[in-house]
Amino acid sequence: DIVMTQSPDSLAVSLGERATINCKSSQSVLASSNSKNQLAWYQQKPGQPPKMIIYWASTRESGVPDRFSGSGSGTDFTLTISSLQAEDVALYHCQQFFSLPYTFGQGTKLEIK
Amino acid sequence: QVQLHQSGPGLVKPSQTLSLTCAISGDSVSNNSVAWNWIRQSPSRGLEWLGRTYYRSKWYNDYAVFVKSRITVNPDTSKNQFSLQLNSVTPEDTAVYYCARALIGRFEFWGLGTLVTVSS
């Protein structure tokens, strides 16, 4: 199984400041078939299911604000929120869809400082 | 817009079978471009993918190894839904269970979740 490890486990950032969450996979998730990283990011607010915000490591889902961006390739990935808003407080997860079983990171809790 | 409506009991006794259903609106369980999945979440283990069913001229299933001996995911084309059965449950199976639609492995649409507690 591909192990996904996020850092940090929790993060407190001031409103308007940048938030950065990292995700590392135990093996490359770059698919040779389409040259795309099989990596997604999800945002989960309390009492709600996860919501996909980024896929292929850097493609924003429709309707997601452009302050959210994803980067990285191979085994190392980053989710960046360029200017934190109050509504961004949530638990963030990365997920690999390179191979079964699909696996998730342990989650990063993002709070306001 | 695709919507997934979960139903099933929130309390299951140890050694019994957990059964959940996910009704689909806005899509067909027979859509040959997507897969229908069950995922669970607990504070101790985070999000865990359990299994899926999908149609590509015939029906296929895949399951996570750690539940493979206990799990069944079945489509029901007459009701446009799919189901989860997890046998021989223990308290470690206590979690919020989600159904989700996946496009090439990424989970685009999720049900609201069902908290299932395993307790006598």
Side-chain angles (χ1 to χ4, degrees), chain B residues 4 22-36 53-60 74-82 101-102:
Chain B
L4 304 176
C22 184
I24 302 162
S25 58
D27 198 356
S28 168
V29 70
S30 302
N31 182 340
N32 61 8
S33 299
V34 300
W36 304 96
T53 189
Y54 59 99
Y55 185 75
R56 301 289 187 270
S57 302
K58 68 174 187 176
W59 289 100
Y60 294 88
N74 277 332
D76 183 341
T77 56
S78 66
K79 295 181 179 178
N80 200 33
Q81 63 186 30
F82 63 107
R101 190 187 91 164

Side-chain angles (χ1 to χ4, degrees), chain B residues 58-101:
Chain B
K58 68 174 187 176
W59 289 100
Y60 294 88
N61 292 99
D62 294 298
Y63 300 125
V65 168
F66 73 95
V67 290
K68 192 166 188 175
S69 63
R70 301 193 289 134
I71 189 174
T72 304
V73 178
N74 277 332
D76 183 341
T77 56
S78 66
K79 295 181 179 178
N80 200 33
Q81 63 186 30
F82 63 107
S83 63
L84 167 69
Q85 284 199 313
L86 188 65
N87 302 325
S88 306
V89 296
T90 71
E92 285 64 47
D93 294 311
T94 294
V96 176
Y97 286 75
Y98 294 101
C99 58
R101 190 187 91 164

Side-chain angles (χ1 to χ4, degrees), chain A residues 42 44 49-50 55 95 97 102, chain B residues 41 52 98 104-105 107 110-111:
Chain A
Y42 299 84
Q44 185 178 23
Y55 59 95
Q95 177 236 338
F97 49 97
Y102 300 136
Chain B
Q41 184 176 28
R52 67 179 182 178
Y98 294 101
I104 319 176
F107 302 108
W110 296 66

Side-chain angles (χ1 to χ4, degrees), chain A residues 84-97:
Chain A
L84 189 70
Q85 305 300 302
E87 61 266 31
D88 301 334
V89 168
L91 186 60
Y92 290 85
H93 311 270
C94 60
Q95 177 236 338
Q96 66 81 18
F97 49 97

Side-chain angles (χ1 to χ4, degrees), chain B residues 14-26:
Chain B
S15 79
Q16 296 195 343
T17 297
L18 180 162
S19 295
L20 297 174
T21 298
C22 184
I24 302 162
S25 58

